[in-house]
Amino acid sequence: MNRLYCRLAVTNLKNNRQFYLPYILAGMVTAMMFYIMRAIQGSDEIASMRGAETVSIMLTMGLVIVALCTGIFLFYTNSFVMKRRRKELGVYNILGMEKKHIAKVMAWEAFILYVLSVSGGIVLGWMFHKLTAMFLAKLTGMSESIPFYISGSGCLQTAELFGVIYLLMLLYNFLQVSLANPITLLHGNNVGEREPKVKWFAAMSGIVCILVGYYLAVSARGVLEAVNMFFVAVLLVIAGTYALFLSVSIAFLKMLKNNKKYYYQTAHFITVSGMLYRMKRNAVGLANICVLSTMVLVIISTTVCLYAGGEDSLKTNFPKELSTTLYLNDVPEQADREYLMGLIADTAQRHNLNMTNVLAYADIVKVIHMEGNVVEYYDNSNTSYNYTEMGMLYLMARADYEKFTGHTYEPIAPGSVKVITSSAFEEDVIQIFDTEYLVAEQTAFPEDFPKEGVQSFLGDTQLIYVIVEDVRALASFLSDEVQYHIELDTGGTPEEQTAFAAAVREALKSSGNQLEYTVYSREEQRDEYMKLNGGFLFLGLFLGVLFLMITMLIIYYKQISEGFEDRERFAIMTKVGMGRSVVKAAINTQVRTVFFMPIVVAVLHLSMAFPMLKTIMFVFGLMNTELFVGCLIVTAVLFAVIYFIVFKLTSRSYYKIVYQ
């Protein structure tokens, strides 16, 4: 008896190959991607390479995202397939098969699909694993050889993950069949969608959600605020997108229908009435395509920009080849400054390097909360504060500030301070930690002020420089955390610069003064940047391909589903005397309108998200706005071309079904 169920399952899969072949291919590709990600993430060779910790974090994130997206994606495509098979299952039931027998056939089908998808995916994973690992090594700068191997844990975890997914889908299909009566199954494909009513509250709510999300994206100032608001803006735009297609689109079509001059034209009548009649069903799929398209555009454009702008980012965060910061308990005297500079100069001389562009200055840095002219310590336990109100106070002597900015300033009177902020500071008195000071001068940052790194995090309102004639004037409560910075260029080869940084650390360590310090070399950081940005690019391309494949399959199934639903309707129109050319023109208009709407909205989302994405990119030190704009435009154009090609290819299946 089981052989009979197995033969029926095989026959069903063959007869429905139009639906199941893309389903199987999608399962194989997602299984391949999960296996490759897991195999690389668990590779001993990758783990032993320099910078492997950063790459491993990227891969672990990707593994979780691929697993979640795979489950959601397969469930979604399963719903398309089951929708088309309701009539077939209803025929089985009417011909005498009990639901438990239908369940056995479905179990065999699920088992065959599982075996084909997982085995095919793992074999493809074996074939492309080394190529993908080599691509990752190239992006991240890993020069070690990566041998071919088969990951046993990767195979096992792939089989387990897909086993759970296919089992859950099978149970879901069992539930659908068990709860439906045979007549419902038999006519499942013919149940029409009533003309939807306009839900004005939902439509207005959707518009408000999108506008608020856009406002948050455009108005975010500083990385802290942008990161804090990013997920809120994303959720609002996603909710608004679904409302846009579910309610706003229906309201718009109703408006077109009420416009008699426009509506009572043959092509417009067919297009508007057809889209309105089934818009509720179309809307969810179109919103899914729009959201996925936006995700592809954001992920690929940002990761490509990070990788392409790696050198710019590195130089922004490390403007000098060597940056040394010493943490002192008091403002260093001139003799102390000369001693520390002498240690570094002697080290450079021993390594035959010439120090150039030397910058040395002291400052005191405090995390603050500023309101009006009152500056307080930022208190994490204060529930009235939030992250966007966190600021930074930089206290410097006039001489050090002149070195830092390269400008000269008038002397500052005793007891007075010079206040520099991005926005206008118009108070005559400033209160700093319960002590008031007269403001001798209020000014804005000079155009060439080197503030990008800090201000990108804090925005305009919480960054303040307070300059005094002699920093000891405030030493009574701020002198315990003085930072003395020495930054310089040396030239030389990357190897020489790396060796010089290590020698400076050793010289400071052996000075006998028990100094606390940090020494950063741009060359040392370059390798870490390459690992981080290369890992992001690999993950972005990997997930971009996954989301693109999901989008393509959703488009394909929508075209097939639309084709079967439209075939009978357009056949009736032809029989009652409507010309075939008119019908074809109406079909073309409807299909183009429906399937190009998501990409237009996705590009709109991307353009409105640009200010927030640009600000978030400051986290990585990427200040090159022109590069980011270029990456966004190129990504959007390439995606639009791919989307158009997929649309044209899937439209052939649609037209073939409709014109049969």
Side-chain angles (χ1 to χ4, degrees):
M1 182 64 70
N2 284 331
R3 294 180 62 184
L4 174 62
Y5 296 137
C6 181
R7 287 199 300 269
L8 278 174
V10 172
T11 301
N12 290 340
L13 294 178
K14 288 181 179 179
N15 292 338
N16 292 281
R17 56 185 176 273
Q18 187 179 23
F19 305 108
Y20 278 113
L21 277 179
Y23 185 50
I24 294 171
L25 289 174
M28 291 171 62
V29 173
T30 50
M32 176 194 73
M33 297 178 76
F34 182 84
Y35 168 82
I36 290 175
M37 188 74 78
R38 180 63 186 88
I40 296 176
Q41 191 260 348
S43 169
D44 294 334
E45 287 75 14
I46 295 289
S48 63
M49 296 178 181
R50 182 181 176 185
E53 297 81 6
T54 302
V55 177
S56 179
I57 293 173
M58 299 290 106
L59 294 175
T60 302
M61 291 171 52
L63 201 64
V64 174
I65 296 173
V66 170
L68 290 174
C69 291
T70 296
I72 296 171
F73 167 54
L74 291 178
F75 260 93
Y76 192 84
T77 52
N78 174 73
S79 67
F80 274 103
V81 175
M82 285 302 298
K83 176 184 173 183
R84 297 308 312 168
R85 296 200 56 205
R86 289 177 179 175
K87 182 175 182 179
E88 173 190 332
L89 298 176
V91 170
Y92 285 155
N93 209 179
I94 289 176
L95 292 178
M97 288 183 67
E98 299 180 16
K99 289 185 178 179
K100 64 180 181 179
H101 300 142
I102 296 176
K104 289 181 179 180
V105 175
M106 294 172 64
W108 272 106
E109 291 173 357
F111 177 73
I112 294 170
L113 292 172
Y114 167 74
V115 171
L116 290 175
S117 298
V118 173
S119 59
I122 290 177
V123 170
L124 289 174
W126 294 344
M127 295 170 60
F128 292 102
H129 164 243
K130 182 173 181 177
L131 180 63
T132 308
M134 291 170 61
F135 179 62
L136 173 62
K138 177 68 175 177
L139 290 178
T140 55
M142 296 179 177
S143 57
E144 292 85 347
S145 175
I146 301 175
F148 171 80
Y149 73 97
I150 293 176
S151 172
S153 60
C155 295
L156 180 61
Q157 291 184 15
T158 303
E160 291 173 345
L161 172 67
F162 280 77
V164 171
I165 293 173
Y166 276 88
L167 178 61
L168 291 176
M169 288 193 299
L170 178 62
L171 294 176
Y172 175 75
N173 294 340
F174 283 167
L175 183 64
Q176 280 192 314
V177 173
S178 63
L179 294 178
N181 60 57
I183 302 302
T184 301
L185 290 173
L186 188 63
H187 296 286
N189 295 334
N190 299 324
V191 177
E193 190 75 33
R194 293 182 179 179
E195 181 177 313
K197 297 180 180 179
V198 179
K199 299 178 180 179
W200 289 107
F201 177 77
M204 296 305 298
S205 299
I207 294 174
V208 170
C209 284
I210 290 179
L211 292 178
V212 173
Y214 284 173
Y215 173 77
L216 293 176
V218 172
S219 63
R221 295 189 298 180
V223 172
L224 289 176
E225 185 176 350
V227 171
N228 202 32
M229 292 289 102
F230 178 75
F231 290 105
V232 177
V234 168
L235 292 176
L236 285 172
V237 171
I238 289 176
T241 299
Y242 279 95
L244 175 67
F245 286 96
L246 281 166
S247 301
V248 179
S249 61
I250 293 173
F252 178 70
L253 290 170
K254 287 275 191 176
M255 291 172 58
L256 293 180
K257 185 177 180 181
N258 292 332
N259 186 340
K260 306 302 182 183
K261 182 181 291 187
Y262 176 88
Y263 182 63
Y264 288 110
Q265 297 182 30
T266 306
H268 296 166
F269 172 81
I270 299 172
T271 301
V272 173
S273 61
M275 291 175 64
L276 185 62
Y277 185 74
R278 294 188 327 275
M279 197 58 203
K280 184 178 180 180
R281 185 181 299 172
N282 285 336
V284 175
L286 295 174
N288 288 333
I289 294 172
C290 180
V291 171
L292 286 168
S293 299
T294 307
M295 291 172 65
V296 172
L297 292 172
V298 170
I299 289 173
I300 294 182
S301 60
T302 52
T303 53
V304 168
C305 185
L306 280 177
Y307 188 77
E311 190 65 24
D312 287 346
S313 175
L314 183 64
K315 290 182 178 179
T316 297
N317 287 326
F318 301 94
K320 301 294 178 66
E321 293 171 1
L322 184 79
S323 303
T324 303
T325 301
L326 297 105
Y327 303 94
L328 308 174
N329 294 324
D330 203 351
V331 179
E333 300 286 348
Q334 185 62 31
D336 297 327
R337 299 187 184 207
E338 292 176 356
Y339 169 74
L340 294 170
M341 184 65 72
L343 282 178
I344 297 176
D346 291 343
T347 305
Q349 188 175 11
R350 289 196 304 271
H351 284 74
N352 299 318
L353 295 173
N354 295 321
M355 299 196 314
T356 59
N357 302 320
V358 179
L359 175 63
Y361 61 94
D363 61 15
I364 298 172
V365 184
K366 294 291 182 180
V367 181
I368 62 162
H369 173 266
M370 181 176 176
E371 185 171 351
N373 67 333
V374 178
V375 178
E376 302 173 332
Y377 287 107
Y378 184 84
D379 184 4
N380 288 322
S381 62
N382 191 333
T383 56
S384 65
Y385 294 171
N386 61 54
Y387 288 114
T388 62
E389 295 177 332
M390 184 174 69
M392 299 294 288
L393 166 66
Y394 288 80
L395 175 67
M396 300 178 72
R398 180 175 61 86
D400 284 323
Y401 185 69
E402 288 177 344
K403 294 177 184 178
F404 183 61
T405 61
H407 298 275
T408 57
Y409 300 93
E410 294 294 327
I412 302 172
S416 299
V417 297
K418 178 183 176 69
V419 177
I420 304 99
T421 57
S422 294
S423 55
F425 185 84
E426 299 177 351
E427 303 290 338
D428 296 327
V429 176
I430 184 169
Q431 180 179 317
I432 305 176
F433 310 141
D434 300 325
T435 303
E436 289 189 349
Y437 300 90
L438 294 175
V439 179
E441 182 182 0
Q442 310 104 339
T443 183
F445 293 114
E447 293 183 0
D448 58 348
F449 186 76
K451 59 184 172 56
E452 289 86 352
V454 175
Q455 191 175 4
S456 67
F457 276 83
L458 303 177
D460 294 336
T461 58
Q462 294 286 303
L463 179 63
I464 178 172
Y465 275 69
V466 175
I467 312 303
V468 296
E469 185 64 25
D470 186 349
V471 77
R472 291 172 184 78
L474 302 182
S476 59
F477 57 90
L478 290 176
S479 62
D480 58 332
E481 297 178 6
V482 179
Q483 299 180 11
Y484 185 60
H485 308 273
I486 302 175
E487 302 172 0
L488 52 94
D489 293 326
T490 59
T493 64
E495 293 77 13
E496 290 173 338
Q497 293 176 19
T498 302
F500 175 58
V504 169
R505 293 189 190 97
E506 186 60 33
L508 293 172
K509 181 179 179 181
S510 59
S511 65
N513 294 317
Q514 296 182 341
L515 296 171
E516 293 185 22
Y517 57 86
T518 56
V519 178
Y520 290 106
S521 167
R522 186 195 293 165
E523 283 304 320
E524 290 176 340
Q525 295 299 315
R526 177 174 277 107
D527 185 63
E528 186 64 26
Y529 266 61
M530 197 166 187
K531 300 288 185 298
L532 182 66
N533 293 339
F536 272 124
L537 179 59
F538 176 81
L539 187 59
L541 294 176
F542 210 82
L543 296 179
V545 170
L546 177 62
F547 293 145
L548 181 60
M549 184 191 67
I550 295 173
T551 304
M552 290 168 57
L553 201 62
I554 291 176
I555 293 174
Y556 172 77
Y557 278 122
K558 276 200 67 62
Q559 294 277 38
I560 296 296
S561 177
E562 294 292 312
F564 281 108
E565 291 175 1
D566 288 346
R567 180 171 60 185
E568 184 175 348
R569 185 161 60 93
F570 284 116
I572 293 173
M573 292 181 185
T574 304
K575 292 177 181 177
V576 297
M578 184 174 290
R580 188 179 181 88
S581 60
V582 176
V583 173
K584 187 173 182 179
I587 293 174
N588 291 337
T589 302
Q590 179 174 328
V591 170
R592 284 196 298 265
T593 303
V594 167
F595 284 96
F596 281 101
M597 198 187 312
I599 187 66
V600 172
V601 177
V603 171
L604 177 62
H605 288 345
L606 182 66
S607 62
M608 297 304 296
F610 170 75
M612 179 175 280
L613 293 175
K614 183 186 70 172
T615 304
I616 293 176
M617 297 291 275
F618 290 167
V619 173
F620 306 95
L622 189 65
M623 308 292 180
N624 193 334
T625 303
E626 292 77 12
L627 175 63
F628 190 32
V629 171
C631 290
L632 289 176
I633 293 174
V634 171
T635 303
V637 170
L638 289 177
F639 182 79
V641 171
I642 295 173
Y643 190 94
F644 177 76
I645 293 172
V646 172
F647 165 75
K648 293 297 290 184
L649 292 176
T650 55
S651 293
R652 294 178 182 177
S653 300
Y654 173 88
Y655 292 134
K656 183 177 180 181
I657 294 171
V658 170
Y659 295 148
Q660 281 179 349

